[in-house]
Amino acid sequence: MVLRPRASAGRPLLVLVVAVLVLLPPPPQAAGHERHERHDGPVAVGAEVARLYDEAGRATDAYEQGRRAAAAQRATAARLQEELGEKRREVALLYDRVGEVARVQYRTGGSLAMTARLLLADDPNEVMRAQRLAGQAARSVNRLMEQARAAERRLTVAEQNARAAWHALDLRTSRLAAIKRGIEARLVSAQQRLHAEAQRSVAAGRCRGTVRLGRRDGKAPGGRGAGGRGPAWVAPVTDYRLSARFDSAGGRWSHRHTGQDFAVDLGAPVRSIGAGRVQSVSCGGAFGIEVVVRHENGWYSQYAHLSAPGVGKGERVRTGQWIGQAGTTGNSTGPHLHFEVRLTPQYGSAVDPVRWLREHGVRLRE
């Protein structure tokens, strides 16, 4: 819900300022105040990357929320400044009208001239009526001027509050940006260590541990594995750019490309597209670290070039469950997920995964 301050009062805007600052999530802990832990081995570093991804996401959300709130208060202050200018022009016009009334009274000579007009008039009642109307006009102008002055005072307070909120939110957003940069720097360092551990696993030809991705591991965003709620099928990653397509030709493959590539950051969480059981987990060969899942409808999905597996062979998985972390192991030129949908668990039985997902209700972003 977006609260819009009324230009006619300063107090509602002050309440808005407090509400915005309270509703914004507290800044993530700064890098300098974090308790540093020792990280040993692929499991620990993989878990650290997953945690930093989560922290970076929360920091980004808080930063964007603060930036939008500051922009809204900046726009509010500018609008109130315009209204304040209009109200001041209105007060100036009213001052002119009061001056005109005073000048007329001065020219007519005040009460003495009024007495003379009554004595000389053919119809004294008409003179009295005109005098009453002139008095009413003067009082009306005075009331309007007082109302305009009160409105000007309220607008001044509202504009000052909006400007104060804008500067406070800008300061907070700057702090959030610094925290966000610190988290991202630590994430880059952890990603490099994760890649080195993944390369050692592939060189050894065996996985050196399963990275359990914390509290969110196994929590599906829906799907049949989550009590029948939500979609039965999802995309294998959430933040991606589609790169090499199914059946495309290129020098990197002996024949044609057998899957769909998703360009993602190293260590990005990879999730099972549907409920099923882990058919195999392997480390080594052209696909590097890979996971194959057998789904309940008899199809298989493959997730290759990972930096770490998040599940073990024979394990039940739910739709959307994190099953590994993206990487660039095996025959890979950069961080990405190679994803296949297969008729069998073996290489060579793949179908177009984009079309298959679309037929099962999942439309990928182009």
Side-chain angles (χ1 to χ4, degrees):
M1 178 177 67
V2 178
L3 301 175
R4 299 190 181 279
R6 287 166 34 186
S8 59
R11 182 173 294 276
L13 186 61
L14 184 60
V15 172
L16 172 65
V17 173
V18 175
V20 169
L21 291 173
V22 169
L23 288 175
L24 281 177
Q29 191 177 31
H33 298 86
E34 185 187 63
R35 182 170 60 87
H36 292 282
E37 299 177 356
R38 178 186 175 90
H39 297 285
D40 296 314
V43 174
V45 73
E48 182 187 8
V49 169
R51 176 178 59 80
L52 287 171
Y53 258 107
D54 197 42
E55 284 187 23
R58 289 199 303 272
T60 299
D61 290 344
Y63 168 78
E64 289 299 324
Q65 188 176 0
R67 186 184 59 79
R68 288 192 296 269
Q73 286 301 315
R74 191 180 302 115
T76 297
R79 178 176 57 80
L80 289 172
Q81 185 65 40
E82 290 180 4
E83 293 181 13
L84 191 55
E86 292 175 4
K87 189 59 65 177
R88 284 169 178 163
R89 287 190 290 273
E90 182 182 331
V91 170
L93 290 173
L94 289 171
Y95 269 118
D96 289 342
R97 291 179 64 181
V98 171
E100 289 173 5
V101 172
R103 286 190 293 274
V104 168
Q105 289 179 343
Y106 176 78
R107 286 195 299 270
T108 58
S111 59
L112 182 60
M114 176 65 180
T115 303
R117 286 200 303 276
L118 287 171
L119 291 173
L120 298 173
D122 294 331
D123 185 357
N125 289 329
E126 187 66 29
V127 176
M128 291 295 294
R129 190 161 45 250
Q131 186 66 18
R132 282 197 304 273
L133 290 174
Q136 289 172 0
R139 287 191 296 274
S140 296
V141 170
N142 285 331
R143 281 196 303 271
L144 285 172
M145 191 162 63
E146 183 52 41
Q147 291 170 3
R149 284 176 183 153
E152 181 184 356
R153 289 192 294 270
R154 288 194 298 269
L155 279 170
T156 299
V157 172
E159 191 270 342
Q160 290 172 348
N161 287 341
R163 190 173 294 276
W166 156 25
H167 289 308
L169 288 165
D170 262 351
L171 181 62
R172 177 185 172 83
T173 303
S174 297
R175 290 199 302 267
L176 288 170
I179 291 170
K180 179 173 174 286
R181 288 193 298 271
I183 294 172
E184 289 170 347
R186 299 203 310 277
L187 176 58
V188 169
S189 175
Q191 285 173 324
Q192 292 171 347
R193 298 200 307 275
L194 177 63
H195 177 62
E197 293 287 356
Q199 294 295 74
R200 282 193 281 271
S201 293
V202 171
R206 61 182 182 85
C207 297
R208 303 176 65 201
T210 299
V211 178
R212 301 295 173 177
L213 298 174
R215 176 179 70 82
R216 294 175 61 183
D217 181 36
K219 275 208 167 188
R224 302 295 170 84
R229 297 183 301 275
W233 305 96
V234 295
V237 285
T238 57
D239 188 12
Y240 58 85
R241 177 180 57 81
L242 296 181
S243 49
R245 307 291 180 129
F246 175 77
D247 211 27
S248 57
R252 294 190 297 274
W253 312 295
S254 57
H255 298 292
R256 301 184 75 84
H257 194 225
T258 56
Q260 171 63 57
D261 284 355
F262 294 79
V264 291
D265 288 338
L266 196 148
V270 173
R271 56 187 187 172
S272 177
I273 61 167
R277 189 178 296 277
V278 177
Q279 176 75 18
S280 63
V281 177
S282 57
C283 298
F287 285 122
I289 299 174
E290 66 167 327
V291 172
V292 175
V293 176
R294 184 185 190 281
H295 298 287
E296 293 170 349
N297 62 357
W299 288 88
Y300 295 82
S301 58
Q302 180 217 25
Y303 312 81
H305 303 309
L306 303 177
S307 58
V311 288
K313 181 178 179 180
E315 188 174 327
R316 292 284 304 173
V317 294
R318 292 183 277 186
T319 302
Q321 178 176 328
W322 288 0
I323 59 173
Q325 293 172 280
T328 181
T329 54
N331 292 347
S332 172
T333 58
H336 73 284
L337 169 69
H338 174 90
F339 170 73
E340 292 188 14
V341 173
R342 297 174 174 177
L343 289 164
T344 72
Q346 282 77 36
Y347 174 80
S349 62
V351 299
D352 183 347
V354 174
R355 179 184 299 175
W356 190 95
L357 285 171
R358 185 168 58 244
E359 290 172 350
H360 288 75
V362 180
R363 287 193 171 272
L364 299 176
R365 300 191 309 271
E366 295 296 328

